[in-house]
Amino acid sequence: MSGFVGILVSDPWLQNQFTQVELRSLKSHFTSMKRESGKLTVSDLASRMGKSKVVGDQNLSNEERATLIQNFHPNLNDEVDFEFYLRIYLNLQAHVNAIIGSGVKNSSAFLKAATTTLLHTISDSEKSSYVAHINNYLSGDEFLNKSLPINPSSNDLFEVAKDGVLLCKLINVAVPGTIDERAINTKSMLNPWERNENHTLCLNSAKAIGCTVVNIGTQDIIEGRRHLVLGVISQIIKIQLLADLNLKKTPQLVELVGDSKDVEELMSLPPEKILLRWMNFQLRKTEYMKTVTNFSSDVKDAEAYTNLLNVLAPEHKNASHLAVKSSFERAKLVLEHADRMGCRRYLTAKDIVEGSPNLNLAFVAHIFQHRNGLSTQTKQISFLENLADDIQISREEKAFRFWINSFDGSLYINNVFEDLRDGWILLQTLDKVSPGIVNWKVASKPPIKLPFKKVENCNQVVKLGKQLKFSLVNIAGNDIVQGNKKLILAYLWQLMRYNILQLLKNLRLHSNGKEITDVDILEWANAKVRNNGCKTSMYSFRDKSLSDGIFFLELLSSVQPRSVNWSLVTNGVTDEEKKMNATYVISIARKLGCSIFLLPEDIIEVNQKMMLTLTASIMYWTLKQPLHLNKPIGSPDSHNGSLLDDSTSDSSIE
């Protein structure tokens, strides 16, 4: 990999400022910015860097960024090359670091892209808070008991995390059942191979629950790179703390809105926004007149907290708290109030007055989990029954959302049906999957105020889909603008399928440059299992016999013999046995290095789309391995059809 870095950056000093994954991500962003108009000048940088997830949430407005860039380099007409861009980037990051160090204007989202920043300092307060969380939730773990509790004032956290076990266990605390713990290597002394497997399992599972991990690799965990490891930990904890902020887990949230249309809007919001809406809903019951819009500057004086806790726990209310002049003293009283409620966690009075967005959000989410103050009367949520509760749509939406977010950090969506309606992120995704296909000259960038501009973007999305031979019968751009769930999911499925087939095709050593079909993937998998001496097979990606998970375990064993511990595999007869096998399949595949976004239910129910992507991901991982002796695919005796022909599969648009 060092040769790759050297090709991108010739200056040795610059090479030493970045990890390999950071440099690759920055190169991708630079290329995307330059592609918009064919060249990039100094005058373009402020606005274009502002739209980048790497630097877009770093406490700088476009005006501030433009002023700083002009101070660095006054000649605005000069063209920017990659190394110049890196120097500007580092200067901006140094300025942001100074801002955060002084506790001023730190209002960024709670580690929305925590592993994509280059702020290599870490907050001791955040580290201590997360260590306390880990000590609390993992205290009873049999494997980790020798390492817990971790001393929050030391850097022991990063040593304990080096074998990958702690991170895997923490993911399961956040989203129970994500990782089959039978797949975690938990020997007292792990060799480098086993440790690397744990890291790979952890990072692929983190992606699968919604973490942004594009700028961290297994080597970063091994080396204990503190800012990157803490970034992953913080995102995992965030997901755990915000897990109840949806109508499925907390239907009483419907109290925040008026009618069914408002409910649908609420359902589309990211959990951080729902938390803010809940907080303001409670504050309207008090004499507090302001609206809280962030977890930083708006709560620094602790007045909003004082009023919030007075509403939620009036039995501990003290009217004199609001008369306190000092923000710091008021913050201390807030924490005393929270302590009496059993909710004092994650932050100190100093964190409140300094406006730590990460810890303030954690504090408020913890309060919501324990006492949300919402009505428990079901009559107020009766019209929720009229909303479609389509579990399959919800599952597919999550899979496609996490797939889009996994690319390189430049794309990020909170809800497929809302965030894709202007067509812009769909165009960006198309450009990732098929570079150069998008005509950016006729595309409109957000924010887009004119509705017809959104339609134009989405019309190009449909046009490009047809160019890629998607089945798009009777669909127009306006269908995407209107948020038609079925059509959007069908389009995304075909885009994901095209992506994996292209990845396989690009491994030309094995495909001979030919198009890869679903039949090729099916036959490859059956041949692998057969050549490994097993008798199971699958007739199609709809084959109901796949529900027991045995075929996929045999496939994984055939591509990596030591991957499956057969003593842990069940017969797959009962529903519970099938679920155990399916969970094991997914964890073993991620442990090998497959980036997959399916759930055990997808295997048990034989979701043909996910069966194809799972098999193709295993195939892709296998063919990437060095000295692979598999026969080329697409040989003369292969079929030319497709078991998931777009015109007949239930993913097609008719």
Side-chain angles (χ1 to χ4, degrees):
M1 298 298 285
S2 59
F4 177 78
V5 174
I7 292 172
L8 288 181
V9 178
S10 59
D11 186 326
W13 180 84
L14 277 175
Q15 291 181 26
N16 291 330
Q17 305 307 306
F18 303 91
T19 65
Q20 298 166 6
V21 286
E22 286 169 343
L23 194 61
R24 289 199 299 274
S25 181
L26 286 167
K27 179 63 175 178
S28 174
H29 284 90
F30 174 76
T31 303
S32 296
M33 289 190 297
K34 193 171 182 180
R35 187 183 295 128
E36 290 185 25
S37 60
K39 71 174 185 176
L40 187 65
T41 65
V42 177
S43 62
D44 299 325
L45 275 178
S47 61
R48 295 192 190 177
M49 291 177 82
K51 296 185 179 75
S52 164
K53 288 296 175 190
V54 168
V55 293
D57 289 334
Q58 298 302 326
N59 306 290
L60 295 175
S61 66
N62 273 352
E63 292 74 18
E64 291 171 319
R65 192 177 293 107
T67 300
L68 288 167
I69 291 174
Q70 189 168 2
N71 289 338
F72 301 146
H73 194 86
N75 192 345
L76 300 181
N77 294 321
D78 283 357
E79 192 163 346
V80 177
D81 63 15
F82 184 50
E83 292 194 6
F84 180 89
Y85 164 67
L86 293 179
R87 293 179 189 279
I88 292 289
Y89 182 88
L90 289 172
N91 279 319
L92 291 175
Q93 292 292 348
H95 181 81
V96 171
N97 201 7
I99 293 175
I100 291 180
S102 63
V104 177
K105 200 185 171 187
N106 187 12
S107 60
S108 60
F110 180 80
L111 292 161
K112 181 176 180 182
T115 61
T116 64
T117 70
L118 288 178
L119 301 178
H120 291 181
T121 58
I122 64 170
S123 162
D124 285 335
S125 187
E126 288 183 22
K127 181 190 68 176
S128 297
S129 178
Y130 302 148
V131 166
H133 180 99
I134 289 167
N135 287 340
N136 180 58
Y137 283 95
L138 292 176
S139 60
D141 187 86
E142 190 175 321
F143 179 82
L144 293 172
N145 61 9
K146 65 181 185 297
S147 304
L148 299 180
I150 299 169
N151 181 355
S153 63
S154 72
N155 286 321
D156 292 351
L157 169 64
F158 307 106
E159 288 299 316
V160 176
K162 282 185 176 180
D163 64 9
V165 177
L166 182 145
L167 295 175
C168 288
K169 300 271 189 176
L170 193 60
I171 286 171
N172 269 358
V173 169
V175 184
T178 299
I179 296 175
D180 189 328
E181 296 201 0
R182 297 174 297 174
I184 305 173
N185 297 321
T186 54
K187 294 190 312 187
S188 56
M189 291 293 292
L190 299 178
N191 61 43
W193 178 273
E194 292 166 330
R195 203 167 53 203
N196 187 73
E197 285 183 331
N198 280 351
H199 299 152
T200 304
L201 173 60
C202 158
L203 293 177
N204 279 322
S205 299
K207 279 196 292 186
I209 65 170
C211 294
T212 302
V213 295
V214 294
N215 268 7
I216 181 170
T218 58
Q219 191 63 30
D220 296 310
I221 303 176
I222 293 170
E223 294 173 0
R225 297 179 71 92
R226 295 186 299 166
H227 66 294
L228 294 174
V229 173
L230 198 67
V232 172
I233 289 172
S234 61
Q235 290 186 88
I236 296 169
I237 291 174
K238 171 193 173 183
I239 288 168
Q240 177 186 345
L241 291 174
L242 298 179
D244 292 342
L245 280 150
N246 60 74
L247 288 171
K248 185 173 291 185
K249 290 283 187 69
T250 311
Q252 293 81 12
L253 281 167
V254 75
E255 195 176 341
L256 308 185
V257 297
D259 54 33
S260 58
K261 184 176 181 181
D262 292 333
V263 170
E264 292 205 20
E265 179 195 351
L266 185 70
M267 292 172 69
S268 72
L269 291 176
E272 300 95 319
K273 297 291 187 183
I274 296 177
L275 190 62
L276 282 171
R277 184 173 288 197
W278 165 80
M279 187 174 179
N280 286 308
F281 172 80
Q282 299 296 354
L283 288 174
R284 284 196 292 273
K285 300 175 183 177
T286 73
E287 295 180 0
Y288 189 75
M289 302 303 294
K290 301 176 185 176
T291 298
V292 177
T293 61
N294 58 63
F295 294 105
S296 182
S297 58
D298 286 1
V299 296
K300 288 168 70 171
D301 61 10
E303 289 184 10
Y305 283 155
T306 302
N307 282 279
L308 176 67
L309 298 189
N310 284 346
V311 170
L312 297 177
E315 67 273 22
H316 303 304
K317 179 178 179 179
N318 188 327
S320 65
H321 291 180
L322 286 171
V324 174
K325 299 296 183 184
S326 165
S327 294
F328 185 76
E329 291 303 316
R330 191 182 303 111
K332 290 201 298 186
L333 293 171
V334 163
L335 293 180
E336 289 175 11
H337 194 158
D339 195 23
R340 290 192 289 271
M341 294 169 60
C343 296
R344 181 171 180 163
R345 275 196 197 164
Y346 299 109
L347 84 176
T348 64
K350 181 173 180 285
D351 298 320
I352 292 176
V353 298
E354 290 186 351
S356 169
N358 303 356
L359 299 183
N360 275 299
L361 184 144
F363 176 62
V364 178
H366 183 62
I367 292 171
F368 177 87
Q369 284 186 337
H370 286 79
R371 188 179 294 199
N372 60 39
L374 297 173
S375 171
T376 57
Q377 296 180 16
T378 55
K379 65 178 183 179
Q380 294 187 6
I381 56 175
S382 59
F383 64 82
L384 272 176
E385 299 170 2
N386 298 325
L387 295 174
D389 184 25
D390 192 328
I391 296 174
Q392 185 62 32
I393 284 181
S394 176
R395 242 168 36 206
E396 289 191 12
E397 186 276 334
K398 184 181 293 186
F400 293 136
R401 171 163 35 103
F402 292 163
W403 171 67
I404 290 173
N405 290 346
S406 73
F407 272 98
D408 65 5
S410 62
L411 305 179
Y412 191 91
I413 58 174
N414 287 300
N415 183 285
V416 160
F417 306 123
E418 291 299 318
D419 295 351
L420 301 184
R421 288 170 62 174
D422 64 11
W424 180 256
I425 289 182
L426 277 172
L427 289 173
Q428 288 183 301
T429 308
L430 280 158
D431 196 57
K432 299 288 183 187
V433 170
S434 183
I437 194 172
V438 177
N439 182 355
W440 293 109
K441 292 181 180 179
V442 298
S444 299
K445 291 181 282 189
I448 305 173
K449 296 181 180 179
L450 299 174
F452 78 90
K453 289 292 185 182
K454 297 180 183 180
V455 175
E456 285 179 352
N457 279 357
C458 292
N459 282 341
Q460 185 176 182
V461 167
V462 173
K463 177 183 176 183
L464 295 177
K466 292 177 179 178
Q467 187 175 321
L468 296 176
K469 299 182 180 178
F470 296 174
S471 176
L472 302 173
V473 180
N474 296 326
I475 179 174
N478 195 51
D479 294 310
I480 299 174
V481 176
Q482 295 299 319
N484 186 306
K485 293 181 179 181
K486 182 179 179 181
L487 300 183
I488 290 173
L489 289 178
Y491 189 98
L492 286 174
W493 156 240
Q494 295 182 82
L495 187 57
M496 179 191 272
R497 176 176 174 272
Y498 176 84
N499 181 45
I500 189 63
L501 294 179
Q502 287 302 111
L503 288 173
L504 289 169
K505 177 187 175 183
N506 291 339
L507 293 171
R508 293 186 180 276
L509 173 64
H510 307 285
S511 68
N512 297 323
K514 296 179 181 178
E515 296 294 333
I516 306 299
T517 68
D518 303 348
V519 172
D520 292 323
I521 298 169
L522 183 81
E523 292 189 343
W524 173 86
N526 280 327
K528 272 290 173 188
V529 170
R530 184 172 59 250
N531 293 340
N532 201 40
C534 301
K535 295 183 179 179
T536 58
S537 62
M538 62 171 166
Y539 296 104
S540 76
F541 295 111
R542 288 190 176 116
D543 191 336
K544 293 301 181 182
S545 69
L546 297 175
S547 67
D548 61 13
I550 301 293
F551 177 83
F552 290 113
L553 288 167
E554 290 180 340
L555 177 60
L556 288 163
S557 181
S558 73
V559 301
Q560 178 50 265
R562 59 180 292 277
S563 64
V564 178
N565 182 345
W566 286 100
S567 67
L568 303 176
V569 178
T570 74
N571 292 327
V573 176
T574 67
D575 289 344
E576 182 60 28
E577 287 179 341
K578 288 180 178 181
K579 186 166 186 177
M580 290 178 69
N581 284 353
T583 305
Y584 195 45
V585 166
I586 293 169
S587 292
I588 293 299
R590 287 176 179 153
K591 184 176 175 180
L592 287 182
C594 300
S595 184
I596 49 178
F597 303 96
L598 73 163
L599 295 172
E601 290 78 10
D602 292 314
I603 296 177
I604 297 167
E605 297 168 12
V606 193
N607 179 331
Q608 63 164 3
K609 302 173 186 177
M610 296 305 163
M611 297 304 91
L612 171 61
T613 57
L614 172 61
T615 310
S617 296
I618 297 170
M619 180 180 180
Y620 180 65
W621 177 85
T622 306
L623 298 183
K624 284 199 305 181
Q625 302 312 300
L627 302 177
H628 184 70
L629 301 178
N630 194 52
K631 288 177 65 178
I633 58 179
S635 53
D637 57 337
S638 294
H639 300 295
N640 294 318
S642 170
L643 298 179
L644 275 175
D645 185 87
D646 284 333
S647 63
T648 58
S649 77
D650 55 344
S651 69
S652 62
I653 301 172
E654 297 178 355

